[in-house]
Amino acid sequence: MSDTDTDTDTGAGSHDPTSLRTPIVAVLGHVDHGKTSLLDKIRGSAVIEGEAGAITQHIGATAVPLDVVSSIAGDLVNPDDFDLPGLLFIDTPGHHSFTTLRSRGGALADIAILVVDVNDGFQPQTLEALDILKRSQTPFIVAANKIDTVPGWNPNEDSPINATYEAQSDRVSSRLDESLYEIIGNLSDEDFSADLYWRVQNFQRNVGVVPVSAMTGEGVPDLLAVMMGLSQRYMKEEMEIDVQGPGVGTVLEVKEEKGFGTTIDIVLYDGTIKADDKIVVGGMNQPIVTDVRALLQPRPLAEIRTESRFEKVDEISAASGIKVAAPELADAMAGAPVRVVRNRELDEVVDEVEAELADIAVDTEEQGVVVKADTLGSLEAMADALGEAEVPIVRAEVGDVAPRDVSVASTAEEPKQRAILGFNVETLADAEQRAETEDVTVFTDEVIYQLIEEYEEYVDELERAQQDTILDNIVRPARFRILPDHTFRQNDPAVVGVEVNSGTIQNNANVVKFEGNEPDRVGQVKGIQEQGEDVDEARAGNRVSVAIDGPTVGRQIEEDDELWIEIPEKHAKILEQELASEIPGDELEALNMYLDKQRSRDPFWGK
């Protein structure tokens, strides 16, 4: 074997089609914890270190080559120890759900950085990001950001963490330690074993925590070194790609671009894509087959003044971010697969895309809520979470909330299902107006579990209101006794003083007296007075005077008699089966005694 052949595995030698691609890195975390500034810092340092030409700005991604990583990381990264070409950071932070973008069978990102503010600790989106990382089994490290805001911190721009940590006072370092151990504790609560990165022996079993500052650059060398080391050690095999093979990628975003119509921003993770390729893209209804018109990359920073923001390229290899202009892309979906056809059978490629889409298809029911999300991956995450919450879905689609979603939601039979849950999407103005007129409730949020909590609270309220309405229209049980020496009027109507033993006496209810187990209706409540004031009802424990239309005291009723409010059989059934938990205990007691009397006569009464 000649010397010239030994290095072909690092580059794309024409006689050796396999090559190692750049690992794809996702950056995620809670909204103000510094994801964007951390990316900006890495990008900025890379531009300074590598002169403007070394770092390439991709669409939706930044490529940081190995030599630039090495010059930022200093002694921490010796380029001779690595044969991976560098790192590709996905940087569409507006797209915080891009963590749920998929590649074949998993997450699009090979590795992730979870950014946590050391002062603020775990927040809702931190937990959500962890949940997504857990589901997609993406390896990750934690960037404990904003160490420069620890009171009394003495900054050392761009230095590795150990050097700057040593330079801090004892008071400052113990404050920082406290925050770091809290983050390690939070990770442990979520079932991740974690430690400060220099103490981690095996990164497959433990999560490394790297203290950093996106402002001063402290700890950024460590972050890059850990990312490179992890990728080289554990992912090298997964990074082997067929450089010349037909490209495979995922849609990051679907965008209108002046002069090009609808375009798709994609991340290519295998093979190449050329300016004249035929491609198959996952669409709303079926795969879209179309021809590439142009491959567009951002112009280098130096040429930013020129007319067009993009320049055309003939060909690009994985891993990279590129904008594809092609006809018929209006129905393309964020998170959908993209495949180059090249020398394969078109049907075969369409089948592959269909199979990948079917993998993500959400099971829908005859009745349920409408779900909208910004990407296929987040749609899938929403469906999983709603499944766990036992909320059925009638329709699930990628895209903003549109009038036709309102039409679907408005046909639901149950009021609680006249709802649309939108994750990380907008509600179009005409859909909003329509939802108001059609009595459909739209929920939107950027955190999945908060969205579901809002919906569940709404359902609870609806159900409470329904129970209240039913209770308002139902005869309530009561058992009461006529007090001796409390006959104020004998008849037309009889007015007597009573004590309510259990339950609630309400106006206009019928009154019965049991002879053995036979109920005998004696009259109707026509007025209740408490201390001379008219009241609508009397509760257990109260003594009130009651006007009963119908009987005469001394004939149909006597002092010391036990009387009952008559409960219609249908009402008794609803009370026992649906409202038992909604009524007071004493009222339930009155109901059960009443049912016992009725059922000793007819065992199926009220069932």
Side-chain angles (χ1 to χ4, degrees):
M1 191 172 181
S2 74
D3 287 350
T4 52
D5 283 347
T6 53
D7 62 355
T8 48
D9 64 335
T10 56
S14 55
H15 53 288
D16 179 4
T18 59
S19 166
L20 293 174
R21 71 162 169 83
T22 328
I24 299 168
V25 185
V27 182
L28 52 154
H30 191 71
V31 69
D32 331 312
H33 285 191
K35 290 179 301 210
T36 318
S37 30
L38 189 60
L39 272 166
D40 286 346
K41 186 71 191 175
I42 292 169
R43 228 180 280 145
S45 315
V47 170
I48 296 159
E49 287 294 340
E51 302 308 308
I55 173 165
T56 48
Q57 194 50 37
H58 291 230
I59 298 280
T62 301
V64 183
L66 177 62
D67 57 346
V68 177
V69 170
S70 161
S71 55
I72 299 173
D75 298 343
L76 298 176
V77 174
N78 174 357
D80 298 344
D81 298 342
F82 296 89
D83 43 16
L84 288 175
L87 297 167
L88 182 75
F89 289 89
I90 297 182
D91 55 20
T92 41
H95 219 268
H96 98 258
S97 66
F98 70 75
T99 46
T100 60
L101 287 170
R102 303 167 47 103
S103 65
R104 267 181 312 228
L108 173 61
D110 301 302
I111 187 164
I113 300 176
L114 178 62
V115 182
V116 183
D117 179 334
V118 284
N119 305 302
D120 210 9
F122 273 36
Q123 295 298 320
Q125 284 168 321
T126 320
L127 292 165
E128 175 143 83
L130 272 176
D131 188 46
I132 289 165
L133 292 169
K134 214 180 272 182
R135 282 176 202 221
S136 59
Q137 297 186 314
T138 306
F140 68 98
I141 56 178
V142 172
N145 190 23
K146 306 195 185 180
I147 55 174
D148 59 296
T149 59
V150 173
W153 186 263
N154 166 26
N156 298 278
E157 299 270 324
D158 302 326
S159 70
I161 189 64
N162 283 331
T164 189
Y165 183 86
E166 295 294 311
Q168 306 302 323
S169 70
D170 290 350
R171 200 174 43 104
V172 170
S173 42
S174 68
R175 259 189 170 161
L176 177 60
D177 288 349
E178 231 169 86
S179 303
L180 293 172
Y181 281 109
E182 192 162 321
I183 291 174
I184 290 169
N186 290 141
L187 283 160
S188 156
D189 295 343
E190 299 303 314
D191 302 323
F192 289 103
S193 158
D195 208 339
L196 296 167
Y197 90 87
W198 54 87
R199 296 203 182 120
V200 173
Q201 296 290 312
N202 180 338
F203 280 92
Q204 277 176 305
R205 283 207 291 272
N206 297 304
V207 174
V209 176
V210 183
V212 298
S213 161
M215 287 300 117
T216 65
E218 291 165 282
V220 171
D222 308 69
L223 191 64
L224 290 170
V226 175
M227 300 298 291
M228 273 316 295
L230 270 180
S231 307
Q232 176 75 24
R233 182 140 183 214
Y234 301 115
M235 294 184 200
K236 194 170 148 182
E237 281 166 28
E238 293 163 41
M239 297 303 112
E240 286 179 3
I241 58 164
D242 173 1
V243 181
Q244 299 307 319
V248 185
T250 298
V251 178
L252 268 184
E253 258 181 287
V254 184
K255 276 195 188 142
E256 288 297 314
E257 230 29 278
K258 209 169 135 203
F260 294 104
T262 308
T263 64
I264 48 175
D265 293 354
I266 70 168
V267 169
L268 194 70
Y269 58 84
D270 200 350
T272 58
I273 183 167
K274 300 177 182 175
D276 55 357
D277 272 326
K278 185 180 280 302
I279 55 171
V280 180
V281 183
M284 298 273 183
N285 305 309
Q286 69 251 16
I288 301 161
V289 178
T290 184
D291 294 306
V292 176
R293 281 211 182 125
L295 297 177
L296 304 165
Q297 254 191 339
R299 285 186 177 277
L301 300 171
E303 300 174 32
I304 214 75
R305 286 197 192 79
T306 47
E307 272 301 278
S308 162
R309 306 203 323 252
F310 305 108
E311 59 181 7
K312 293 188 179 180
V313 290
D314 293 333
E315 177 177 348
I316 194 152
S317 307
S320 46
I322 187 86
K323 181 180 284 292
V324 179
E328 321 283 322
L329 289 175
D331 278 350
M333 288 186 290
V338 180
R339 286 169 181 263
V340 171
V341 179
R342 211 160 293 156
N343 42 21
R344 297 191 296 159
E345 288 292 322
L346 178 60
D347 293 351
E348 187 190 312
V349 182
V350 170
D351 289 348
E352 279 177 17
V353 170
E354 270 179 342
E356 207 170 315
L357 289 171
D359 250 10
I360 318 170
V362 173
D363 292 333
T364 53
E365 316 277 336
E366 289 291 307
Q367 290 283 328
V369 297
V370 174
V371 177
K372 297 299 291 260
D374 61 342
T375 72
L376 273 175
S378 45
L379 196 61
E380 193 177 28
M382 273 289 291
D384 284 352
L386 285 167
E388 281 165 25
E390 295 180 6
V391 176
I393 299 171
V394 71
R395 175 170 179 175
E397 286 181 347
V398 169
D400 290 333
V401 177
R404 67 196 183 105
D405 300 313
V406 178
S407 304
V408 173
S410 69
T411 61
E413 287 164 19
E414 288 191 47
K416 66 179 177 190
Q417 290 174 353
R418 297 174 69 92
I420 299 171
L421 277 64
F423 171 67
N424 225 20
V425 292
E426 301 291 322
T427 304
L428 304 175
D430 38 358
E432 216 164 294
Q433 290 158 353
R434 192 141 172 197
E436 271 175 40
T437 52
E438 306 220 0
D439 197 23
V440 167
T441 312
V442 181
F443 300 88
T444 54
D445 204 307
E446 290 184 358
V447 177
I448 289 177
Y449 75 81
Q450 285 183 347
L451 180 59
I452 292 172
E453 266 173 21
E454 277 169 55
Y455 172 69
E456 287 180 325
E457 279 166 21
Y458 163 77
V459 170
D460 287 347
E461 251 168 65
L462 267 187
E463 285 175 350
R464 265 199 305 276
Q466 275 174 316
Q467 304 284 39
D468 291 349
T469 321
I470 296 171
L471 268 178
D472 287 346
N473 298 318
I474 245 169
V475 174
R476 312 282 284 272
R479 174 173 70 94
F480 55 102
R481 184 174 70 91
I482 300 177
L483 296 165
D485 304 329
H486 276 71
T487 303
F488 304 118
R489 183 166 164 176
Q490 270 190 299
N491 58 9
D492 289 335
V495 178
V496 289
V498 303
E499 175 167 24
V500 186
N501 301 104
S502 54
T504 306
I505 300 178
Q506 289 178 313
N507 253 326
N508 302 319
N510 289 325
V511 178
V512 294
K513 180 176 165 181
F514 280 96
E515 299 293 343
N517 289 319
E518 286 293 331
D520 180 23
R521 185 188 291 179
V522 293
Q524 191 177 28
V525 177
K526 277 299 174 203
I528 307 169
Q529 279 200 339
E530 190 168 17
Q531 293 168 340
E533 296 286 323
D534 285 329
V535 292
D536 292 329
E537 58 175 43
R539 288 279 296 116
N542 287 11
R543 287 187 164 204
V544 292
S545 59
V546 178
I548 305 173
D549 201 19
T552 300
V553 181
R555 284 207 188 135
Q556 291 83 357
I557 56 174
E558 307 279 352
E559 292 188 349
D560 223 17
D561 270 352
E562 182 174 66
L563 301 177
W564 298 76
I565 293 298
E566 181 181 24
I567 309 169
E569 189 170 3
K570 197 169 136 197
H571 290 208
K573 182 177 175 175
I574 292 174
L575 280 163
E576 185 182 32
Q577 293 176 10
E578 292 176 32
L579 299 174
S581 61
E582 303 291 320
I583 59 177
D586 62 278
E587 207 165 289
L588 191 59
E589 182 193 358
L591 172 71
N592 288 332
M593 289 169 80
Y594 189 87
L595 288 170
D596 287 345
K597 284 181 176 294
Q598 291 282 15
R599 283 173 187 168
S600 60
R601 189 175 45 80
D602 168 6
F604 294 104
W605 194 88
K607 283 191 172 174

